[in-house]
Amino acid sequence: MTEFAPGFLWGASTAPHQIEGNNLNSDFWASEGRMPGMERSGDACDSYHRYREDMTLLADAGLDSYRFGVEWARIEPVPGMISRAELAHYRRMIETAFELGLTPVVTLHHFTSPLWFAQEGGWLGDRAVERFRAYAEAVAPILDGVEWVVTMNEPNMLAIMIGMARALQDDPHAADAWLSPTVDNEGPRPKTPAPDVKIGERLVEAHHAVREVLRERTGAKVGWTVANRAFVARPGAEEKKRELEYIWEDLYLEGSRGDDFVGVQSYSSQWVGPDGVEPHPQHPDNTLVGTAYRPDALSIAVRHTAEVTGGMPILVTENGIATRDDTRRIAYTDEALKHLRAAIADGADVRGYLHWSLLDNYEWGHWEPTFGLIEVDRETFERRPKPSLAWLGETARRLRG
């Protein structure tokens, strides 16, 4: 059996808005009160205050890496005003990871932006790239010793969210068709739109600008993460699959060329027919977010990413399943790792596996989908590790090269 290389990272991932709570100055916080059917994040998991407990549970389980984000809306609540206290807060998180023997993988932007940034045009505004670059310059000093930095999470999904926000500006009734970036088939709803290529090109430009800043001012490896659809073509639909892969993924994977690594984020797979992406049919095996149970998707995603990027180093920065049944979570992850090992055996340069998610958290408008290795009581914030956390830690110990 293929062994994972020495130094392979084993851990879990989170996003600040989903776990910290009370991200009052962010665009997503503002939108939570506007979209029908969207639940509020509120206190979330109160990880802003309880991050040491979260990291300790991760480390005590035998895992050695934690991917977390810094929140732009906290660091720069109004244009040009940088909060030294917030920078110090996130530096303490980094130092806590070091203290506990965890390798931090730090994400600078995970879907959410300051509200003022959105109000001046967001990623399509004239100053968007300049603003993002200035934010990265402010954060760079606290990244001393950090080996892995993600500039932006899932720009292809962010492009969809930006497109929907534009539609809402043009038509207030578009809020009725609001789509969570997490939930795939939530009752009668329109099909998820494809990312707008023009928006994607702007995000690539922003990524390259911040990559330059981080290379000038830190010693970190720099990359970004891409939501991988793991498309599989029906007979005769190969050309349609290639067309959709460019729009959905390859624009962003090609944008990662020249990076130090690229993040693969994989949950399920989708069929592509002659007419396009086929929606997931209703099925008892579907996950809580409506996606098909496809642990083999991780191998499809890793292989496709390696092919498009020319063998670039890969971090699996997210992989998991929305389920209430933790036994099913273990089964899914175990099979996904077997497929990952097969991809590595075939030559994919994979440097780590970070499970999504460490905690049951706020899934972008919904609390019901549970991805976590740890359950969180939303009233007391008590952490209750699930068997999957210990299982993943033991698996990491067994498979370390």
Side-chain angles (χ1 to χ4, degrees):
M1 295 293 287
T2 300
E3 288 192 352
F4 294 95
F8 190 93
L9 301 180
W10 290 95
S13 296
T14 58
H17 188 83
Q18 293 181 261
I19 65 167
E20 287 182 340
N22 300 303
N23 186 20
L24 306 179
N25 294 313
S26 85
D27 56 349
F28 206 92
W29 178 274
S31 75
E32 289 170 15
R34 297 169 57 207
M35 304 298 184
M38 180 190 280
E39 295 180 273
R40 286 189 172 274
S41 56
D43 291 323
C45 302
D46 194 33
S47 288
Y48 185 87
H49 302 103
R50 301 168 193 263
Y51 62 84
R52 174 177 285 274
E53 180 181 0
D54 296 337
M55 291 190 202
T56 299
L57 289 169
L58 186 67
D60 286 352
L63 297 164
D64 59 22
S65 184
Y66 182 39
R67 178 186 170 216
F68 60 91
V70 298
E71 183 57 64
W72 186 2
R74 296 185 192 273
I75 290 170
E76 191 176 9
V78 297
M81 189 186 83
I82 301 299
S83 170
R84 295 181 180 86
E86 292 293 356
L87 288 173
H89 167 81
Y90 288 112
R91 181 61 197 179
R92 285 192 295 273
M93 289 188 68
I94 291 168
E95 291 176 349
T96 299
F98 290 149
E99 176 190 335
L100 295 172
L102 297 172
T103 296
V105 178
V106 178
T107 303
L108 299 190
H109 187 276
H110 199 127
F111 289 158
T112 51
S113 302
L115 180 58
W116 61 261
F117 178 76
Q119 290 172 337
E120 69 174 25
W123 292 105
L124 300 179
D126 293 340
R127 302 185 65 184
V129 176
E130 171 195 343
R131 294 294 201 189
F132 193 42
R133 182 184 176 99
Y135 161 59
E137 289 171 347
V139 173
I142 72 168
L143 299 175
D144 183 46
V146 174
E147 185 179 357
W148 304 87
V149 177
V150 173
T151 63
M152 190 180 295
N153 180 76
E154 293 188 344
N156 47 344
M157 297 304 294
L158 179 60
I160 293 172
M161 296 166 71
I162 294 168
M164 291 192 295
R166 290 174 71 188
L168 180 60
Q169 287 179 345
D170 296 337
D171 176 13
H173 297 292
D176 298 336
W178 172 77
L179 301 172
S180 165
T182 296
V183 179
D184 197 346
N185 286 328
E186 184 200 353
R189 54 182 269 165
K191 187 167 67 174
T192 304
D196 185 302
V197 170
K198 292 296 184 185
I199 298 173
E201 290 170 347
R202 169 59 67 88
L203 297 178
V204 170
E205 180 187 357
H207 166 60
H208 288 170
V210 167
R211 180 179 70 188
E212 180 182 323
V213 168
L214 295 172
R215 284 186 168 162
E216 288 173 353
R217 304 185 181 213
T218 78
K221 298 181 180 71
V222 184
W224 67 354
T225 72
V226 177
N228 301 97
R229 310 300 290 189
F231 288 136
V232 179
R234 298 288 191 189
E238 289 78 9
E239 185 175 341
K240 173 60 73 172
K241 171 177 171 282
R242 285 190 292 271
E243 172 191 327
L244 291 174
E245 279 175 336
Y246 180 79
I247 296 170
W248 279 95
E249 293 181 31
D250 294 0
L251 168 64
Y252 307 90
L253 294 175
E254 290 173 6
S256 72
R257 290 174 182 164
D259 291 357
D260 301 298
F261 71 96
V262 61
V264 164
Q265 310 208 156
S266 171
Y267 295 88
S268 185
S269 176
Q270 287 186 288
W271 288 101
V272 175
D275 297 326
V277 180
E278 297 180 2
H280 296 300
Q282 295 298 317
H283 191 279
D285 284 345
N286 283 1
T287 72
L288 289 178
V289 292
T291 54
Y293 182 88
R294 290 291 300 273
D296 62 319
L298 182 56
S299 175
I300 299 170
V302 165
R303 292 170 192 271
H304 180 71
T305 298
E307 178 185 356
V308 175
T309 62
M312 180 180 294
I314 290 169
L315 274 185
V316 177
T317 39
E318 292 184 19
N319 173 249
I321 180 173
T323 179
R324 299 182 190 90
D325 182 352
D326 199 54
T327 302
R328 196 170 191 232
R329 176 172 292 103
I330 292 171
Y332 171 93
T333 309
D334 186 45
E335 188 173 346
L337 289 173
K338 290 175 182 175
H339 288 288
L340 180 62
R341 292 175 78 164
I344 292 171
D346 288 341
D349 183 6
V350 183
R351 307 292 181 89
Y353 175 86
L354 305 176
H355 191 84
W356 184 270
S357 172
L358 180 62
L359 307 171
D360 286 342
N361 58 24
Y362 177 71
E363 282 296 330
W364 306 110
H366 303 271
W367 280 102
E368 182 182 4
T370 46
F371 285 87
L373 300 168
I374 299 171
E375 180 185 358
V376 179
D377 187 306
R378 289 182 52 212
E379 292 190 6
T380 67
F381 304 111
E382 178 188 359
R383 271 64 172 152
R384 303 183 188 116
K386 302 175 187 178
S388 55
L389 177 64
W391 174 86
L392 187 59
E394 180 55 39
T395 298
R397 281 189 286 265
R398 179 168 50 83
L399 294 178
R400 283 190 179 104

